[in-house]
Amino acid sequence: MNFKDNLTQKTTETEAVIKAYLPAEEGYQKTVLEAMNYSFLVGGKRLRPLLMKESFALFGGEGDLCNPFMAAIEMIHTYSLVHDDLPEMDNDELRRGMPTTHVKYGVDMAVLAGDGLLNYAFETALQAFDVAGEKEFSRVVHAMKVLARKAGVYGMIGGQTLDVEAEKKGIGLGLPEVSFIDEHKTAALLQASLMIGAILAGAGEEEVHAMETIGYNVGVAFQIQDDILDITSSTEVLGKPVGSDEKNSKVTYVSLMGMEAAEEKQKSLSDEAVTLLRGLGKEASFMEELILSLVHRKM
Amino acid sequence: MNFKDNLTQKTTETEAVIKAYLPAEEGYQKTVLEAMNYSFLVGGKRLRPLLMKESFALFGGEGDLCNPFMAAIEMIHTYSLVHDDLPEMDNDELRRGMPTTHVKYGVDMAVLAGDGLLNYAFETALQAFDVAGEKEFSRVVHAMKVLARKAGVYGMIGGQTLDVEAEKKGIGLGLPEVSFIDEHKTAALLQASLMIGAILAGAGEEEVHAMETIGYNVGVAFQIQDDILDITSSTEVLGKPVGSDEKNSKVTYVSLMGMEAAEEKQKSLSDEAVTLLRGLGKEASFMEELILSLVHRKM
């Protein structure tokens, strides 16, 4: 099977796994449950749970232990978009061509739906204890800790904080700040995905650390590619307006380093990720292609 | 020592335990950490962690196993207030005489601080695994599940959902809906506190269930007392405007049942809680006085 067909099939499988964990839309709290599921089902590439499952398989993981965490990481990703889209944050009214949660359900319900998704992510991940064998118990604890850390103030929320301050309060950013935002806002959940898959499969400390580094490289390279495409692509190819970073005076790797150096940085991050992945000595050709498709994407 | 002095001392001890878990205000994400700590330190009665500790002690719990959960439940309570106070929710500008988080830090940072506190609550609770002995491992898992469930869409968030809908969209409420809101919005975290203390101390299933029922009774009785005081008290005694429920056409136990029946309901809930507590056959005189002081409070 070629990469593209393989990706389509794996994404479909991932979608089925994570959807099974959504709450039933019933009871007096029906509206918040509907808003949560709506936000979740608007879609996306399901990249984080897919990477988690691939990492789990890479290290010999079998069975369902990973499944609750796959759903949980996507719930966390989803809640972050719901709150990010709020009027007082990015004030986005459309996501993937559909009304954002607060447009459809009201701002109050969008706040609660985001809270609900974050909380439900932990409820869902905790289900892994029910399917864990005795020797897997401490792996689940470790995975829970990574999930919470990478999603929180020392992970994604930390990156969002600086991003919000930078955009709204006009703090002059340099390379350390831009790196911090990309590492935390973009890379942290990718790191969590790759690490949790490895941890649950019983990978050793060094292997988990390698996955963390790969997640960092892929996340930052992905973000630099975003910045590059905003300049070099066209609105037709990208499917969204180009030139928005310059228009919004957004500080990026490209604005700070220049195009050539940003491209070099992007390439070296991506090369290092592939080298690390190959160094694990596993059959990882699909994950390698997936990583390269992410960091070299044209849209 | 009389009850009041005892309460003051225990509250001071609780305050010291939970404050120790707050994050340091440093790094690029400093602002969100400051906003989280500000919200947390504005104060309050620390009722939930205090009840948890008392329940833990009641069932013979010793050592620090309970401490991370004490901090966690207060973080969850705090985040719920931060998000509840937002302009699109209750739009409150003052809490305990201090500016609310969004007034002081901006709405965007208040959203992130609330998210940060909820997430950090789970990070903090997970620390209990580090101090748990082998036989306590499954207790910590159980406590984590109760924490997540009672805070989430089947607990507090569920109650907030119906409350928000009722207030903003004018849904006609009857007794089942008012009960649902009180049970979930008010009682759920009290239930979690009492249950988690018992679980971590190794209480049996029936004992944990008794604590859950006591938490329900206390929470709902507390809320009915709130509704009663809004009518019978004065602004001077209460420290906040009375008559606000009628002004806002808020449906309460009193408006639905009449004052007399509401008082009877409140008394029977409170009596049942005391009977259940005494039925445990433990030395629980402080907790009994605490419960009675809550449900019979005059302000």
Side-chain angles (χ1 to χ4, degrees), chain B residues 37-98:
Chain B
N37 291 352
Y38 171 80
S39 318
F40 191 95
L41 292 170
V42 156
K45 296 181 289 290
R46 310 309 188 192
L47 185 59
R48 289 153 197 82
L50 177 57
L51 282 171
M52 191 187 288
K53 184 61 177 261
E54 287 301 308
S55 177
F56 184 65
L58 196 67
F59 293 99
E62 286 175 4
D64 297 339
L65 189 60
C66 194
N67 293 7
F69 281 95
M70 290 168 65
I73 198 103
E74 190 70 7
M75 288 173 193
I76 289 176
H77 174 58
T78 304
Y79 112 79
S80 78
L81 300 180
V82 172
H83 280 185
D84 235 23
D85 288 338
L86 288 171
E88 294 282 352
M89 306 282 280
D90 284 355
N91 195 20
D92 282 318
E93 301 198 342
L94 286 175
R95 184 171 284 277
R96 301 195 184 91
M98 301 279 283

Side-chain angles (χ1 to χ4, degrees), chain A residues 23 28-29 31-32 83 88-89 107-108 115 119 122-123 130 137 145 148 152-154 161 164-165 176 180, chain B residues 23 28-29 31-32 36 83 88-89 107-108 115 119 122-123 130 137 145 148 152-154 161 164-165 176 180:
Chain A
Y28 285 122
Q29 66 279 70
T31 310
V32 78
H83 280 185
E88 293 284 350
M89 305 283 279
V107 174
D108 46 9
D115 296 345
N119 194 97
F122 288 106
E123 273 181 90
D130 305 334
F137 229 68
K145 287 184 176 176
V153 287
Y154 300 109
T161 301
V164 159
E165 288 194 306
F180 181 89
Chain B
Y28 285 120
Q29 66 279 70
T31 310
V32 78
M36 288 160 64
H83 280 185
E88 294 282 352
M89 306 282 280
V107 173
D108 46 9
D115 296 345
N119 194 96
F122 288 106
E123 273 182 272
D130 304 335
F137 230 70
K145 287 184 178 178
V153 287
Y154 300 109
T161 301
V164 158
E165 288 192 307
F180 181 89

Side-chain angles (χ1 to χ4, degrees), chain B residues 205-218:
Chain B
E205 205 177 313
E206 277 183 35
E207 292 171 317
V208 173
H209 188 251
M211 298 316 280
E212 186 172 18
T213 307
I214 292 171
Y216 169 86
N217 284 23
V218 173

